[in-house]
Amino acid sequence: MRSAKSSTSFERSIVESVESVESAESVEASTALSAGESAGATGAPANAVATDSGGPSRRDAEATKAAILRAARHLLARHAHADITLKAVAERAGVSPPLIMKYFGNKETLFARVMSFEEDAGVLLDAPLADLARHMVRHVLVSQSERGADPLLRIVFAPLQGTQGDTLRANFRTQVSDRLALRLDGPDAGLRAELAVGMLLGLGVMYGIARGGELRTAPLDDVVRRYAPAVQAHLTP
């Protein structure tokens, strides 16, 4: 039986490894907000483009919401949901708490977005079935290599979140695995969907958490060419 000490070490290793996946996100967030986005409590950001109504452009608003979501995701990987405050999220994102409430309403709405896979799954599964594996593998790799993010890996936060972990698992099952299964023909669609998603998770873990040296330096097209057929075998056997 694993000791409490070793369990704690294991959870800490997950958190520390996820930090490396998020590093590019943090740089992106800092860039988006550096010109004054954090002035949400005092006025429009300095880099905002005026619209007819005099407010910030849609682009600035979307960048701010993305930064808030990244901050909330970062904190959820390190703290229990109940212990996270809007003030902490605001400080991490470089905005004011009222700005979070403007965009998301309240903490529960914000974290419902963080724990949802709906939008990510929509992009991940947006390809014809005959070419779906190639699309999904490429999407995971591009998300990791170019944006420092992963559409699925926040499911690894589930063991750290108590009852909120159950919400993550339920969302993952219904919004990702079950949604993919509905696309599949033939027997054992649910099993095949879970096997395919499991392969994507394994790819994400090796790239972003284990940080496999060979994988991270290999040409992306080569990885897609090698890996996608194995995933596609579960989708169209």
Side-chain angles (χ1 to χ4, degrees):
M1 180 179 296
R2 188 170 62 190
S3 67
K5 180 177 180 180
S6 64
S7 177
T8 301
S9 298
F10 171 73
E11 293 180 353
R12 186 182 301 114
S13 69
I14 292 179
V15 169
E16 291 173 348
S17 297
V18 170
E19 288 179 350
S20 65
V21 180
E22 294 177 328
S23 59
E25 287 187 322
S26 298
V27 172
E28 182 182 340
S30 298
T31 301
L33 300 175
S34 61
E37 196 94 12
S38 60
T42 59
N47 64 340
V49 177
T51 64
D52 292 341
S53 62
S57 69
R58 178 175 177 80
R59 179 178 179 182
D60 290 314
E62 293 303 315
T64 302
K65 287 189 282 187
I68 292 168
L69 289 169
R70 281 192 293 266
R73 187 181 299 178
H74 174 96
L75 292 171
L76 191 67
R78 293 154 178 79
H79 307 283
H81 170 267
D83 296 334
I84 303 172
T85 64
L86 285 183
K87 182 175 183 292
V89 176
E91 289 177 351
R92 174 76 190 177
V95 302
S96 66
L99 197 59
I100 296 179
M101 296 181 68
K102 172 185 176 181
Y103 288 133
F104 296 98
N106 54 44
K107 174 183 170 180
E108 295 309 313
T109 302
L110 170 62
F111 279 93
R113 283 282 302 275
V114 171
M115 291 188 283
S116 173
F117 295 88
E118 192 72 38
E119 292 182 10
D120 288 317
V123 178
L124 182 71
L125 302 178
D126 186 21
L129 184 59
D131 196 47
L132 184 55
R134 180 178 296 274
H135 167 79
M136 293 194 298
V137 171
R138 179 176 294 277
H139 180 61
V140 168
L141 292 171
V142 169
S143 296
Q144 288 263 13
S145 62
E146 296 184 5
R147 295 190 289 274
D150 187 287
L152 303 177
L153 270 188
R154 60 187 176 279
I155 190 61
V156 305
F157 303 159
L160 312 179
Q161 289 303 320
T163 57
Q164 293 297 324
D166 294 336
T167 300
L168 271 173
R169 294 184 187 95
N171 288 346
F172 188 82
R173 181 176 63 252
T174 59
Q175 296 168 359
V176 181
S177 301
D178 290 354
R179 186 171 174 180
L180 174 57
L182 292 174
R183 298 275 308 275
L184 306 184
D185 298 321
D188 302 319
L191 173 60
R192 288 156 45 211
E194 290 185 357
L195 289 171
V197 172
M199 293 184 70
L200 297 177
L201 280 171
L203 180 63
V205 167
M206 179 55 72
Y207 193 104
I209 295 181
R211 300 181 69 80
E214 297 295 327
L215 174 60
R216 293 174 70 88
T217 57
L220 186 147
D221 288 341
D222 285 357
V223 177
V224 173
R225 176 176 56 81
R226 290 173 179 271
Y227 205 76
V231 178
Q232 189 70 36
H234 295 299
L235 306 181
T236 51

